[in-house]
Amino acid sequence: MTVLPIVTAPDPVLKKKAVKVAAVDDRVRQLMDDMLETMYLAPGIGLAAPQIGLSERVVVIDIGRSEENRQPLYLANPEILWVSDEDNIYEEGCLSVPEHYAEVTRPKAVKVSFLDRDNNTVEIETDGLLATVIQHELDHLDGVLFIDHLTSLKRNMILRKLLKQKKEAAADK
Ligand code: NI
C-alpha cells in the first residue's frame, strides 16, 4: 500500500465536483486501500479522493480510531437517500484544513447508498458521529469543505491562516 500526500486548502481540486467511477474494479480497490492507509497514518476518520488530488467519487471512513477497533467503510459513488429533520452539532476538523476545528450543524441521521469494495450496492442508515462523517466526506465530492458551513467571516479567517501557512512552508523549501 502507498501513503499518498494530502492536499490542503485552499486548492482548486478541493472545490471541484468529483466524477463517478464506472465500477469498483482493481484500480479503485487499490485506490481505496491506499486512501485508507493514508487516513490511518494521518490520522483521520474519513478521507475523500479529492483530498489526495483525485477528482473521483470515492471515500473511506473508519470511526473506530484504534488499531484493535478497525471497521473500515469503503464508499464509491455514494448518494444520500434520506436525512432526518433532527440536527446534530459536532466539532469538525478535516485533514485538508489542518489544525482548525469548528462546530457544524448537520442532520442527525442519514440513509446512504454506495458501491462497496466488492462493487456491491449497499444501503446503510446511521446516526451520530458516523452520520456526520458520511456527510462531511460526501461534501468533499461536491467541492464543499466543513468551513463552507461556517459564516464567511470565520471561513475567511481560517482560509487566510491556511494560505499564510502554505506560503511559509513554500518559503522554507
Ligand atoms: Ni474533510
Side-chain angles (χ1 to χ4, degrees):
M1 283 192 263
T2 315
V3 172
L4 308 157
I6 294 174
V7 177
T8 58
D11 191 290
V13 75
L14 296 174
K15 301 306 295 173
K16 220 169 124 182
K17 190 174 165 73
V19 297
K20 284 188 175 182
V21 296
V24 180
D25 53 13
D26 287 344
R27 181 193 70 88
V28 174
R29 255 188 295 281
Q30 183 66 54
L31 170 66
M32 287 170 158
D33 291 345
D34 290 345
M35 283 172 58
L36 194 73
E37 197 62 19
T38 303
M39 183 193 86
Y40 283 145
L41 195 78
I45 56 174
L47 189 71
Q51 295 182 271
I52 49 110
L54 198 64
S55 204
E56 296 187 30
R57 303 187 82 79
V58 176
V59 163
V60 293
I61 292 172
D62 191 339
I63 60 164
R65 283 186 192 271
S66 71
E67 224 162 294
E68 312 83 67
N69 234 337
R70 282 186 177 172
Q71 271 186 309
L73 260 183
Y74 306 87
L75 305 89
N77 303 344
E79 301 213 27
I80 297 218
L81 304 175
W82 167 85
V83 298
S84 62
D85 291 332
E86 206 183 331
D87 287 335
N88 231 350
I89 301 174
Y90 269 102
E91 180 165 78
E92 296 189 22
C94 180
L95 295 174
S96 295
V97 187
E99 289 163 49
H100 293 277
Y101 302 88
E103 286 188 339
V104 179
T105 305
R106 301 184 188 266
K108 185 181 181 177
V110 293
K111 190 172 177 181
V112 62
S113 129
F114 57 90
L115 295 173
D116 70 6
R117 197 176 173 282
D118 299 315
N119 200 45
N120 294 316
T121 302
V122 177
E123 265 183 31
I124 58 170
E125 191 177 326
T126 188
D127 61 5
L129 177 61
L130 184 57
T132 290
V133 176
I134 287 172
Q135 293 173 79
H136 174 120
E137 297 312 324
L138 266 61
D139 265 359
H140 275 297
L141 305 180
D142 293 322
V144 175
L145 300 174
F146 82 90
I147 54 175
D148 293 318
H149 292 278
L150 310 178
T151 63
S152 58
L153 187 74
K154 280 189 191 167
R155 177 170 57 251
N156 290 334
M157 197 177 75
I158 292 173
L159 282 171
R160 265 201 309 275
K161 285 184 184 162
L162 289 169
L163 197 60
K164 197 173 157 220
Q165 283 165 12
K166 271 196 173 183
K167 280 182 182 159
E168 282 167 3
D172 284 344
K173 274 177 194 159

